[in-house]
Amino acid sequence: MSTKAEIWLNANNDSDAFQIPVNPESIKMTYKGITKSIKLDSFGEILHKGKREAATISFSSFFPAVYGSFCAYKDFPTPLQCNKKMIDRMESKLPVHFVYCDNKKVKNVDIYAYITSYVPEEKGGDPGTIQYSVELKEARTVPLKVIVNGRVNVETTRLGNFSEVTTYTIKKKDTLYKIAKSYYKKNVKKQKKKLIAKNKSTLASWNKKYKKAKGKNKKKYIRDGAYRLLIGGSLTMP
């Protein structure tokens, strides 16, 4: 077991970060019906090797009541706090951000996964310590095409542990008002402002590229007041 390696199970766009206090001896990974027990040091190499189906990852460890040389870091949450974090993550409809860094702090594994099983257990002889086993199912990004007004121009993608994100692909003759109106029938002007705020950096980037564009490249953009919309570009809907 390497105490210098790090395993993180983060939630809410990594704003709720959680590093497990004690690293497991090994991790079991299952795909295509085959289960392999993998040492922590070679975990990243195996997981990223070639094309494969979504993996199921499982391991066992414990939340210690006191710090010891076996711990990955000091000042970790109490066992009860750790237990609550795991339960909250398992009950969430969104995946956790599973990150494994080796002892050189290099991200060997960086995926999203759902906690499908979490079993905590307290045993005699070690008061306060919670032993547990956990199983995660790797989440894959799945794009869904939606037809709007006879055109396939919307893609809905579940990304990481964010809420569902909807993007709009810009077509010729589109305007920010028309885009907002196609989604929201009421308070369109207000929704347009939200759309602009949501895509502030993207719109600024397009304006900047338009100024540098020459000839035919300028025709790739639509004039919409103070903004230049890139045909084929994507906007995130608020």
Side-chain angles (χ1 to χ4, degrees), residues 78-146:
T78 67
L80 289 177
Q81 290 172 334
C82 290
N83 184 57
K84 185 178 185 304
K85 285 179 177 293
M86 295 297 289
I87 292 173
D88 288 345
R89 282 156 171 72
M90 184 178 67
E91 292 179 346
S92 173
K93 294 181 179 180
L94 299 175
V96 296
H97 188 188
F98 181 96
V99 179
Y100 164 63
C101 301
D102 62 18
N103 53 16
K104 295 180 181 179
K105 308 306 179 188
V106 176
K107 286 185 180 180
N108 284 5
V109 179
D110 187 347
I111 64 172
Y112 290 90
Y114 294 96
I115 296 179
T116 56
S117 175
Y118 169 65
V119 182
E121 183 181 15
E122 287 191 63
K123 293 185 177 180
D126 197 357
T129 292
I130 297 178
Q131 299 186 29
Y132 69 90
S133 60
V134 62
E135 182 176 281
L136 304 98
K137 178 72 172 181
E138 184 181 6
R140 293 292 181 89
T141 301
V142 181
L144 301 175
K145 291 185 178 180
V146 181

Side-chain angles (χ1 to χ4, degrees), residues 195-215:
L195 178 63
I196 292 171
K198 186 76 173 179
N199 296 275
K200 186 177 180 179
S201 60
T202 299
L203 293 170
S205 175
W206 289 347
N207 279 4
K208 187 176 181 180
K209 289 180 180 179
Y210 174 80
K211 290 179 181 179
K212 294 181 179 180
K214 296 180 180 180

Side-chain angles (χ1 to χ4, degrees), residues 133-189:
S133 60
V134 62
E135 182 176 281
L136 304 98
K137 178 72 172 181
E138 184 181 6
R140 293 292 181 89
T141 301
V142 181
L144 301 175
K145 291 185 178 180
V146 181
I147 298 176
V148 178
N149 297 328
R151 299 181 302 176
V152 181
N153 59 353
V154 181
E155 290 185 356
T156 304
T157 308
R158 184 171 293 283
L159 301 172
N161 51 18
F162 299 88
S163 57
E164 195 172 79
V165 176
T166 302
T167 61
Y168 180 90
T169 302
I170 296 172
K171 308 298 180 185
K172 289 182 179 180
K173 298 183 179 181
D174 271 340
T175 65
L176 293 170
Y177 184 86
K178 285 182 180 179
I179 294 170
K181 189 176 181 180
S182 69
Y183 277 82
Y184 313 102
K185 303 303 179 183
K186 297 180 180 179
N187 301 319
V188 179
K189 289 184 178 180

